[in-house]
């Protein structure tokens, strides 16, 4: 066997550790990594034209594949461009292995133009961070990074790879390292929670993380059914399984006013893989904490615990003979007439294909979506866990790479779309089965709402100008076609239905520019 | 006078301190700032659809206006999205005042979804950084920020503004604070350098920063003319004045091979506002330092010194009676036939309008540009100081806001264009006089070159795939039209000439998708 350089040992180790895809936006300091890809065909390189596409795609991939992809980023500015979607991925607990090229070790002292403090920026992700120092260690560093990314509940692992460590000879592949799985929850803890749940007081059971998939939902439904506990899903789950044949568990509202109502009257709030609910933002004169004042908060399982097993154990204690309540199959009728906030979601609900993955960045336009799709065929919903917009198109891209046999539906607000719009090009290049529906209301509608909610007074034309996306109107059909994605425009429910049905049926990406009214 | 909230005191103080433009991409935590804009009409809000557009525009504005604009960014992810162009701005010493909204002080403890370590990320910019703690102090904080941004030679000043500090009552405007100007260079230092320059050994005089404008260039030309010193401009000047009637000073090459030749034989390298030259990247077996081994490096003025005065003082000592050599007016003939790397730059050289500002991100496509425009009417060139691509379109946008009466020409590589493409929308909304010429060679051509230069071997189809921008070809005409910018496509020199002349003559933005061959 010929000697390996650092990059070759890195890629081989990644592949041996189960990492098969690298979303990449490389530069000069990553050229040896790029060159090494051809020697390891098991690693698939997917080019993004912007690092926010790369990191968002890695997030979407992780949410669906359940294992990490690698990213390839160019020094500190490349990491900066990818930071917002890494923030969302961090909140989703998505395992990701970032490979960030850096200047050669001996070159850093010269403060060349691209020199910056990569560690400071990467450190803000609160994940696992390591700078490779020696070519001989790169393989072992990579194996540890892959394991660190998958330590329960999943996190961002970042390897900073200096160019000379990458091109140096003497690389050694390393064996996979076993990640730390979820911690078991003590039987005593489960029993304590069981006593509370069965104690006759009003209980809210808030589930999150891994509990939002079938097994956790079934246990949750049994508990709620047997005890009367009010079951809720965290506001922004990384991956929520729902639809016909699965228990339907309501999500906690984004609006504090709504969430407070959902939790109203609870004497106990039980957390199962979810954080204690707080307001997304602070508002003058309103509470940050959404738990009712007199309620006690109890933790069944935190996000590093085996929340699914804990819920199943709890169900055995309080609901041994109770079956979950499953959502019946039901779809809205196809609507007609102009697109409205109600009619567009009915179209999606009526036509959502089997086994769909929804990347949901519909924001205010999607307020009515959950009800319209509740009884649609079983599907996954990926949501905006970290609140940093520009996540939908990249996450849809990565999800489609992870599940080429499933239809991916990206429900996408117009303003948010523009942060990472070049994801469309990657979708075209890779011929991914993504149908993007842009909800084009020509406004940052959520900010119009928030401007009122924060009680900001005296605003006039300039304030409105900064929340307005008309002048000029954005033509997403042209933008999509400019990146090789076939696109159409829908202004009526009939048009949306006809175009959506066709887009989903045809292989490859499509975009529908759906002109919807702004709710505000 | 009614009481001010924090946001109002901030904006009034910014205006009183000379900050008249705020490039903004706001979110909920910035809504009081947005609402306050209408109360202070002297502050112009300019919306960008992505934070990299916002920060790049602030960089372009600062380079042309010579004073800071503000940015308005949404928490840590907003800063992350803006980080790459702040990196370039830092390298350009552009004064910028970032205003970053954060969660309310009492809300941070709850680790709400958008919570992140803003200070760690902002700290990586090595500028001035302050978190506002009390509403009553916001005005004074703002005045200090504006001054800090303008301390010689200019830097990034970042104010983190918690939402409750912004909406709280009791804001007080503050008087402007005088920034620290450039430090005078001691006469003894100038005399030492004069002795070296006049000493008969081979001298290279490398100028940068403020020396790249008329006064510095004239002094440099006189020194070179009188002493035989070899004058060079730093590789990536923030703002270089050039063209007919100004001294033409050659730029130090990006390629180490070229730069080494330019410095070859020098016994002394004199630095005047420039850093000691190093290779942009490290390459296996090649030196990082570009100064010849036997040469001595001397500092006439570093970047915080008054480099122009120092050069003028030096000229008085060694070239008292020497006039600068001024570039004669000369334009290439209009070429014909298919676009080539030579013909497209000849079109620009032949037709460059008076008083143009060139935002130059032509990268490999622009290797022949300097010669073709040397004798064109006097113009400014803004270059990629920090090496982080995606700078051209935003910087052109900000330059056009700063100088609405001047034609801005953005010479823009295709790959780099896609990072911050939504700058076109801001150009359309603000009706800015920007003519963008996309040099569309359907490749990351510079990386094809770098792949060879770093000596990466054995690369094949997958490596080439990651450097290729075809499949699908990007149609910049459609993308521009989708954002409200009129656009055309040029495949011949005649078409480019006709389209460029028309674009420059018509008010508002235009884009030309110029299909050029890849040099590699």
């Amino acid at each position: 066997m010929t000697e390996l350089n650092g990059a070759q040992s890195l890629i081989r180790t990644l592949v041996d550790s189960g990492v098969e895809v690298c979303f990449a936006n490389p530069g000069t300091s990553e050229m040896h990594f790029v060159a090494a890809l051809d020697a390891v065909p098991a690693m698939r390189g997917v080019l993004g034209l912007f690092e926010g596409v790369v990191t968002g795609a890695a997030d979407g991939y992780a949410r669906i594949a359940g294992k990490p992809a690698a990213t390839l980023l160019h020094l500190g500015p490349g990491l900066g461009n990818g930071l917002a979607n890494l923030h969302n991925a961090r909140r989703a607990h998505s395992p990701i292995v970032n490979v960030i090229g850096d200047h050669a070790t001996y070159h850093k002292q010269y403060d060349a133009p691209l020199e910056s403090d990569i560690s400071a920026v990467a450190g803000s992700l609160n994940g696992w961070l390591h700078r490779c120092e020696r070519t001989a260690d790169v393989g072992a560093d990579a194996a540890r990074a892959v394991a660190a990314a998958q330590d329960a509940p999943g996190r961002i692992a970042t390897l900073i790879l200096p160019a000379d460590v990458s091109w140096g000879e003497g690389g050694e592949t390393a064996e996979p390292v076993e990640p730390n799985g979820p911690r078991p929850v003590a039987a005593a803890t489960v029993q304590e929670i069981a006593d509370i749940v069965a104690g006759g007081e009003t209980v809210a059971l808030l589930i999150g993380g891994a509990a939002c998939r079938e097994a956790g939902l079934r246990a949750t439904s049994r508990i709620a059914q047997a005890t009367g506990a009010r079951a809720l899903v965290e506001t922004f789950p990384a991956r929520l399984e729902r639809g016909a044949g699965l228990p339907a568990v309501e999500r906690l509202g984004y609006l504090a006013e709504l969430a407070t109502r959902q939790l109203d009257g609870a004497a106990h709030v039980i957390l199962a893989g979810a954080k204690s609910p707080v307001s997304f933002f602070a508002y003058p004169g309103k509470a940050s904490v959404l738990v009712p004042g007199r309620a006690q908060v109890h933790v069944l399982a935190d996000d590093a615990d085996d929340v699914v097993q804990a819920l199943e154990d709890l169900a055995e204690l309080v609901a041994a003979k109770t079956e979950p309540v499953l959502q019946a199959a039901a779809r809205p009728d196809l609507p007609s007439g102009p697109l409205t906030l109600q009619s567009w979601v009915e179209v999606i609900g009526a036509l959502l294909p089997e086994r769909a993955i929804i990347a949901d960045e519909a924001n205010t336009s999607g307020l009515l979506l959950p009800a319209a799709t509740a009884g649609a065929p079983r599907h996954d919903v990926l949501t905006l866990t970290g609140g940093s917009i520009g996540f939908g198109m990249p996450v849809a891209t990565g999800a489609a790479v992870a599940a080429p046999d499933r239809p991916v539906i990206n429900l996408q607000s117009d303003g948010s779309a523009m942060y990472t719009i070049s994801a469309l090009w990657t979708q075209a290049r890779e011929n991914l089965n993504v149908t993007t529906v842009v909800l084009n209301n020509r406004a940052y509608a959520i900010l119009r709402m928030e401007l009122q909610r924060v009680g900001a007074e005296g605003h006039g034309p300039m304030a409105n100008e900064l929340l307005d996306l008309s002048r000029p109107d954005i033509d997403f059909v042209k933008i999509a076609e400019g990146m090789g994605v076939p696109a159409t425009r829908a202004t009526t429910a009939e048009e949306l239905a006809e175009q959506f049905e066709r887009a989903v049926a045809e292989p490859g990406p499509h975009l529908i520019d759906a002109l919807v009214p702004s709710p505000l």
Side-chain angles (χ1 to χ4, degrees), chain A:
Chain A
M1 178 173 158
T2 58
E3 198 175 16
L4 302 176
N5 66 23
Q8 290 161 342
S9 70
L10 173 58
I11 298 175
R12 284 175 197 246
T13 302
L14 289 174
V15 167
D16 290 349
S17 302
V19 177
E20 301 169 299
V21 176
C22 177
F23 297 100
N25 187 260
T28 299
S29 42
E30 293 76 40
M31 282 299 103
H32 282 85
F33 186 105
V34 167
L37 282 170
D38 282 289
V40 192
M43 178 66 85
R44 174 179 175 190
V46 176
L47 179 61
L49 299 183
F50 172 67
E51 294 87 347
V53 173
V54 164
T55 56
D59 183 12
Y61 178 92
R63 295 193 201 192
I64 295 301
K67 67 177 190 175
T71 70
L72 185 64
L73 305 172
H74 187 46
L75 298 101
L79 173 61
N81 281 336
L83 199 64
N85 272 331
L86 288 173
H87 172 87
N88 290 325
R90 168 169 81 91
R91 293 294 184 183
H93 298 301
S94 294
I96 293 176
V97 177
N98 292 321
V99 178
I100 304 177
D102 195 8
H103 284 307
T105 52
Y106 59 84
H107 196 69
K108 285 186 78 66
Q109 63 186 305
Y110 300 113
D111 194 35
L114 274 164
E115 178 66 30
S116 71
D117 190 346
I118 302 174
S119 296
V121 177
S124 76
L125 292 167
N126 294 327
W128 184 92
L129 173 61
H130 181 74
R131 174 179 288 275
C132 299
E133 303 281 359
R134 299 189 333 135
T135 300
D137 297 338
V138 168
D141 292 342
R144 288 191 299 130
V146 178
Q150 296 178 95
D151 281 346
R155 58 181 161 170
I156 314 292
T158 299
L159 272 183
I160 302 173
L161 183 65
D164 56 334
V165 177
S166 179
W167 76 51
E169 294 295 321
E172 297 171 19
T173 58
E175 295 294 311
V177 174
E178 193 65 30
N180 297 308
R183 291 179 305 232
V185 173
T189 301
V190 179
Q191 185 62 58
E192 274 173 41
I193 300 294
D195 294 343
I196 294 164
V197 172
E201 292 190 288
T202 305
V203 167
L205 173 59
L206 182 63
I207 66 170
C212 300
R213 301 184 61 183
E214 181 169 11
L217 293 167
R218 289 180 67 94
T220 299
S221 175
R222 291 169 60 204
I223 296 162
Q225 190 64 15
T227 69
R230 201 181 301 165
L232 293 162
V233 168
E234 62 185 340
T235 309
F236 290 108
R239 177 180 182 177
L240 174 63
E241 293 186 345
R242 65 195 297 272
L246 287 171
V249 182
E250 190 181 9
R251 275 163 67 184
L252 191 70
Y254 164 77
L255 296 177
E257 300 85 323
L258 173 58
T260 305
R261 211 175 314 141
Q262 291 172 296
L263 295 168
D264 190 35
H268 302 276
V269 175
I270 311 291
L271 303 177
K275 293 172 66 173
S276 192
V278 296
S279 180
F280 205 85
F281 292 104
Y283 301 92
K286 292 183 184 160
S288 292
V289 171
L290 301 180
V291 175
R294 69 175 201 88
Q296 287 181 276
V297 176
H298 312 270
V299 177
L300 171 64
D302 74 16
D303 52 26
D305 292 334
D306 190 344
V307 60
V308 174
Q309 187 63 54
L311 283 166
E312 289 179 339
D313 292 348
L314 180 60
E316 282 310 297
L317 291 179
V318 302
K321 302 202 171 142
T322 308
E323 290 295 314
V325 179
L326 304 182
Q327 170 70 46
R331 289 180 182 267
D333 292 333
L334 269 177
S336 61
L339 284 178
T340 65
L341 292 183
Q342 182 62 46
S343 69
W344 87 260
V345 298
E346 289 173 353
V347 171
I348 303 300
L351 299 176
L352 192 72
E354 302 278 339
R355 302 184 68 234
I357 298 167
I358 296 179
D360 179 10
E361 197 172 21
N363 300 347
T364 52
S365 294
L367 290 174
L368 305 175
L369 182 70
T373 52
R378 180 173 166 157
H379 58 280
D380 288 277
V381 180
L382 314 182
T383 81
L384 182 49
T385 48
S388 180
I389 60 177
F391 114 107
M393 290 183 163
V395 162
T397 304
V401 170
D405 58 330
R406 296 181 61 182
V408 177
I409 313 297
N410 174 206
L411 304 176
Q412 182 61 53
S413 292
D414 52 348
S416 304
M418 293 302 292
Y419 288 70
T420 46
I421 189 80
S422 73
L424 293 172
W425 183 86
T426 300
Q427 292 172 15
R429 166 171 276 212
E430 301 289 331
N431 199 33
L432 301 175
N433 296 321
V434 179
T435 297
T436 301
V437 181
V438 174
L439 292 320
N440 188 349
N441 60 25
R442 297 172 172 165
Y444 288 127
I446 195 165
L447 294 183
R448 289 186 180 162
M449 180 179 76
E450 295 285 19
L451 189 66
Q452 298 177 10
R453 293 180 76 220
V454 299
E457 285 170 18
H459 55 274
M462 178 56 81
N464 290 331
E465 173 94 353
L466 292 185
L467 312 183
D468 172 74
L469 299 180
S470 67
R471 301 191 313 98
D473 290 335
I474 300 170
D475 182 337
F476 285 95
V477 173
K478 283 192 170 169
I479 292 174
E481 289 176 350
M483 297 191 210
V485 172
T488 52
R489 177 163 297 110
T491 60
T492 65
E494 291 88 338
E495 287 170 357
L496 178 60
E498 186 269 322
Q499 293 169 18
F500 183 79
E501 204 158 21
R502 185 153 39 86
V504 168
E506 285 178 8
H510 297 78
L511 181 140
I512 301 167
D513 189 5
L515 301 187
V516 297
S518 171
L520 285 160

